[in-house]
Amino acid sequence: MTQSKLRMLSQHQETLEKCVYCPKLCRATCPVSNALPSESVTPWGKMSSAYFLARGDTPLEPEHAALAWACTGCHACKSRCDHQNEVAAVLLDARAALSTERLAPEGAQRALAIARERDRPVRRSQEGSVGLLVGCGYEKHLPDESAAAARVVEKLLGAAPVPVSVCCGSAYRMAGDRAGFDRAADRFSKSVAGLSLLVVHDPGCARTLLADYAKLDASLPQVKLLVDLAEEHLARFQPLAGAPQVRYHDPCQLGRGLGRYDGPRRLLERVLSQSPLEFDRRRAEADCSGAGGLLPLTYPEVSREAAKRRLAQHEELGGGPGLSACAGGGGSFRGREWGRVAAWR
């Protein structure tokens, strides 16, 4: 047993204590504790664990450390919280602190191994002023959507974008490897040097660049979400003849993370000639698909159950085609019962 303090208390003490002394008012928003009915994985339970580890009240052991990775980073608890407590950010710092103690769970270590395999040398394959980052999830799991994104950018801007295949490093941050994330950010910044505009498809990558890179003072060109670019050129999108109705799932990073709710819906309405169908819980209250925060690797059964619950809501409302605007949600749904899901295109 190691009885020492986790080095993260001073910077997060107020946030942690607000959660520890809260009567679990955000409990129902957490996709992890809804899929795994255990108080230890509620936002209160995870933050309490981090607090007690930071104070030295709980031994630094794998059983306690693993709770920091029982989070998708969906921001649902923050949205419900009167104090807007940054639970996901605190747990990411807890992951980093625990990793320095060699307490990262096996799933996080696997994520790091995958990220290292994806690392590519910095080189520009073609010249241009506009780059396109579709994101590792799209490149690996949704190649059709990756190709469609490139075609959309080319048609809207009149030139083929420079493909940016260097990873933004978000997997390192989520796994708890802060030094690895810093190196990835430096590598990525060098890969986009000289571009005037970087269009980003995956919302998770976009939030990493817009929020996390700002803390590193990283040098980047203008970053623009593909969905924002499409909305700027909304009149150029032609309605699809005979398009079916689809139900739209708000991705956590695009919605609660980046505040994009209306843009995707306006684009869908333009292309489908009708408003998309909705979930009962949508926009800021939308349920997470369970695909974020490395949960498919650290708590795979919980991740699957979270996706299953969202799909069940869809079926209760009548089923049919569905659509998600992120690689994580699209991949989780497509790989299971909701075979007709398509990522945003």
Side-chain angles (χ1 to χ4, degrees), residues 17-271:
E17 288 180 347
K18 284 178 180 176
C19 280
V20 169
Y21 295 109
C22 173
K24 312 174 191 176
L25 297 179
C26 69
R27 189 201 191 289
T29 69
C30 180
V32 177
S33 58
N34 285 336
L36 178 62
S38 169
E39 291 299 308
S40 63
V41 294
T42 63
W44 169 85
K46 289 173 283 198
M47 291 289 275
S48 294
S49 175
Y51 180 65
F52 295 136
L53 286 168
R55 282 168 39 114
D57 297 332
T58 302
L60 290 173
E61 296 179 345
E63 176 185 0
H64 305 297
L67 296 177
W69 279 267
C71 173
T72 66
C74 71
H75 312 291
C77 52
K78 176 186 175 182
S79 179
R80 179 68 64 87
C81 178
D82 288 342
H83 302 285
Q84 295 288 286
N85 249 15
E86 293 279 2
V87 172
V90 173
L91 291 178
L92 282 176
D93 283 351
R95 294 181 186 188
L98 289 162
S99 293
T100 63
E101 300 287 343
R102 301 184 181 276
L103 287 171
E106 181 182 352
Q109 296 175 40
R110 286 179 54 205
L112 287 175
I114 294 170
R116 291 174 186 131
E117 289 176 359
R118 278 201 304 251
D119 286 345
R120 298 165 185 168
V122 176
R123 59 172 178 265
R124 185 74 59 78
S125 60
Q126 63 189 79
E127 295 300 320
S129 61
V130 178
L132 172 63
L133 173 68
V134 295
C136 300
Y138 278 104
E139 282 189 355
K140 183 175 182 180
H141 302 294
L142 303 168
D144 292 344
E145 282 73 10
S146 299
R151 291 195 297 270
V152 168
V153 174
E154 181 175 4
K155 289 182 179 180
L156 294 181
L157 299 182
V162 176
V164 176
S165 296
V166 176
C167 181
C168 69
S170 63
Y172 287 96
R173 178 156 165 72
M174 288 186 288
D177 186 349
R178 184 170 291 164
F181 176 65
D182 291 347
R183 290 191 297 269
D186 180 68
R187 186 165 53 246
F188 184 87
S189 297
K190 291 176 180 177
S191 76
V192 297
L195 295 175
S196 60
L197 174 66
L198 177 62
V199 180
V200 185
H201 189 18
D202 190 287
C205 296
R207 194 172 191 282
T208 296
L209 299 180
L210 294 171
D212 297 327
Y213 273 39
K215 301 172 185 176
L216 303 176
D217 196 27
S219 177
L220 292 175
Q222 178 188 6
V223 176
K224 180 172 290 190
L225 277 159
L226 177 56
V227 70
D228 290 346
L229 178 67
E231 189 180 9
E232 290 174 6
H233 298 270
L234 195 61
R236 296 184 59 184
F237 286 81
Q238 300 300 314
L240 295 174
Q245 279 196 310
V246 300
R247 179 165 288 106
Y248 177 64
H249 164 78
D250 286 284
C252 305
Q253 300 306 325
L254 186 64
R256 288 184 291 264
L258 294 168
R260 268 59 168 191
Y261 297 109
D262 295 326
R265 287 172 168 82
R266 280 193 284 266
L267 190 51
L268 274 175
E269 186 172 359
R270 171 74 180 178
V271 173

